[in-house]
Amino acid sequence: MFENLSERLERSFKILKGEGKITEINVAETVKEIRRSLLDADVSYKVAKDFCDKVKQKAIGQNVLTAVKPQQMMVKIVHDELAEFMGSENSEINVKGSPAIVLVAGLNGSGKTTFSAKLANRLRMKKGMRVLLAACDTFRPAATEQLKTLGSQINIPVYSEDGVKDPIVIAKNAVAQAKKDGTAVVIIDTAGRLAVDKELMDEISELHKALNPTETLFVVDAMTGQDAVETAKAFNEAVDFDGVVLTKMDGDTRGGAALSIKAVTGKPVKFIGSGEKMDAIDVFYPKRIADRILGMGDVVSLVEKAQEQFDEKEARELKKKVIRNQFTLNDFYTQIQQVKKMGNAKDLMGMLPGMDKALKDVDIPDDAFKSTEAIIQSMTPYEKDHPDVINMSRRRRIAAGSGTKVEDVNKLLKQFEGSRKMMKMAMDGSLANKLKNFRG
């Protein structure tokens, strides 16, 4: 995401490269390029102009410290303004109530139904809440069946009523059922249309009045750019929603909607969707997104994803094994499985500073670990625990059994040995000592 915008902004900052100080002339040139970058990312002209005016105002007359170059100072100013434009801090979803009612609205094709299931899954897995999904889209024929299918995948019950066309009746009955069962949150999946029309607005407005939800979320397809922002504005005028959900962010390299919605509607982006899997949903952190746009990575999110998958007790046991030089290929295989649960390999690597640019033209498939897993699975239990015994004849047998080449087996064993040494250095402190005086 934001690939094109990142590249364009990087080029605009190069105008200041080699400059001794920030002046009105070189700032004007840089800001002009930044405005072009934003417009190219499908940010509306007014939002881009307002943004650039603020950047210019902050940059001119800025006292640049001796240790900080003008280019670096401009990057910081742009970073802070990007975060501010997108909402500064993340905005939490309100799920307080007995039960809490989350109303999900948006156009057809925006991903409302899928998001509803993703949110239900997130609340159950991360907050331990009992959730009920309510199928209140009586306009699209397959909507109820789609929600039921998704609900069965994540073990979340779905409330629906055959033959009932009034979404308010279904929604109220779903809330009553939730109260009876002691369910904490009811997520209402509503009908959409192909475009904003009076019938749609009246329906969602009536639902909103009847339910008085604790949280109203507007779901919009990020790939529609400025159209997404205008649609959000129209919905906000009708129901005064609490926050926005941007879906299909993995398919959009421009990012104009993410940058514009808060500035235009005054409402925060709360979640972003980046894939079809039920865990492909992230809280929207403006500062972290600003980091990624400017090529600084998103190490905090990467660490959080790791913490979700790696058990503390297992980590302590692993540390003991590494220190004793008992880290085996079985342990290596287990670590791969946990890393896979964290998400797409390319997305994870893109969270490291500078890696977005390095990975631009690199294709890392979802099954990137497939051959590694096949090689390890083709080993005997003794070989996994004692990789030093894997001689050439064993390597040929493992290669044949895994459908790979001997070179692939050699490469894996070399990588494993390198990982084992690096982990031991990190654990016993020698790596920290070697890096102590590292600069640059």
Side-chain angles (χ1 to χ4, degrees), residues 261-387:
I261 279 180
K262 177 67 167 65
V264 173
T265 67
K267 299 299 173 67
V269 176
K270 294 202 173 185
F271 294 98
I272 54 174
S274 54
E276 290 298 318
K277 293 180 180 178
M278 286 295 101
D279 59 354
I281 172 178
D282 293 303
V283 173
F284 186 84
Y285 291 95
K287 287 183 179 177
R288 298 185 195 179
I289 294 295
D291 285 347
R292 294 200 69 172
I293 290 173
L294 296 176
M296 300 173 187
D298 187 1
V299 177
V300 177
S301 293
L302 183 61
V303 170
E304 286 177 354
K305 283 180 178 288
Q307 286 175 332
E308 289 170 12
Q309 300 301 331
F310 289 84
D311 181 79
E312 197 173 328
K313 185 180 177 183
E314 287 179 3
R316 283 198 297 268
E317 290 300 316
L318 181 65
K319 182 178 179 179
K320 289 177 184 176
K321 282 189 170 186
V322 171
I323 291 172
R324 294 169 186 163
N325 207 29
Q326 294 173 346
F327 183 72
T328 69
L329 280 159
N330 270 322
D331 299 316
F332 191 59
Y333 184 84
T334 301
Q335 298 302 301
I336 289 172
Q337 301 314 304
Q338 289 175 318
V339 168
K340 281 173 65 179
K341 290 177 186 176
M342 288 168 61
N344 177 277
K346 188 170 182 177
D347 290 342
L348 292 173
M349 291 176 71
M351 291 181 182
L352 296 170
M355 287 302 288
D356 263 351
K357 185 179 177 183
L359 294 171
K360 183 191 170 192
D361 299 315
V362 179
D363 181 31
I364 303 178
D366 289 339
D367 60 354
F369 296 111
K370 192 174 180 180
S371 63
T372 300
E373 292 171 310
I375 291 169
I376 295 175
Q377 287 171 334
S378 296
M379 297 176 184
T380 64
Y382 186 80
E383 287 169 342
K384 292 174 189 175
D385 287 334
H386 303 85

Side-chain angles (χ1 to χ4, degrees), residues 379-440:
M379 297 176 184
T380 64
Y382 186 80
E383 287 169 342
K384 292 174 189 175
D385 287 334
H386 303 85
D388 293 337
V389 305
I390 304 177
N391 56 24
M392 185 50 70
S393 63
R394 289 176 184 260
R395 294 181 191 213
R396 291 194 192 99
R397 192 205 78 243
I398 292 166
S402 59
T404 60
K405 299 175 182 177
V406 173
E407 290 88 342
D408 297 323
V409 178
N410 292 339
K411 185 179 177 182
L412 169 62
L413 291 172
K414 187 176 180 181
Q415 287 174 338
F416 167 72
E417 193 56 41
S419 298
R420 185 156 66 169
K421 286 178 181 177
M422 185 63 74
M423 288 171 76
K424 191 172 191 311
M425 286 169 66
M427 296 295 185
D428 65 17
S430 60
L431 180 61
N433 292 331
K434 287 180 181 180
L435 291 174
K436 200 170 183 180
N437 297 316
F438 181 72
R439 293 290 181 271

Side-chain angles (χ1 to χ4, degrees), residues 29-45:
E29 289 179 41
T30 305
V31 167
K32 189 177 178 181
E33 279 303 311
I34 291 172
R35 184 165 60 245
R36 285 176 181 162
S37 303
L38 294 173
L39 293 173
D40 188 54
D42 214 8
V43 175
S44 70
Y45 179 80

Side-chain angles (χ1 to χ4, degrees), residues 44-110:
S44 70
Y45 179 80
K46 184 182 183 305
V47 173
K49 185 179 182 302
D50 290 347
F51 178 87
C52 290
D53 286 346
K54 287 189 176 183
V55 168
K56 187 175 181 179
Q57 187 179 356
K58 285 189 176 182
I60 292 175
Q62 185 72 246
N63 291 322
V64 182
L65 300 172
T66 307
V68 180
K69 296 176 182 177
Q71 185 180 5
Q72 295 168 328
M73 180 60 77
M74 181 59 86
V75 170
K76 184 186 184 307
I77 292 169
V78 171
H79 173 275
D80 293 346
E81 279 305 309
L82 278 173
E84 187 68 32
F85 254 67
M86 291 186 287
S88 189
E89 299 294 331
N90 70 296
S91 183
E92 294 284 338
I93 182 173
N94 181 8
V95 284
K96 294 176 182 176
S98 301
I101 302 171
V102 180
L103 184 66
V104 180
L107 297 181
N108 270 352
S110 62

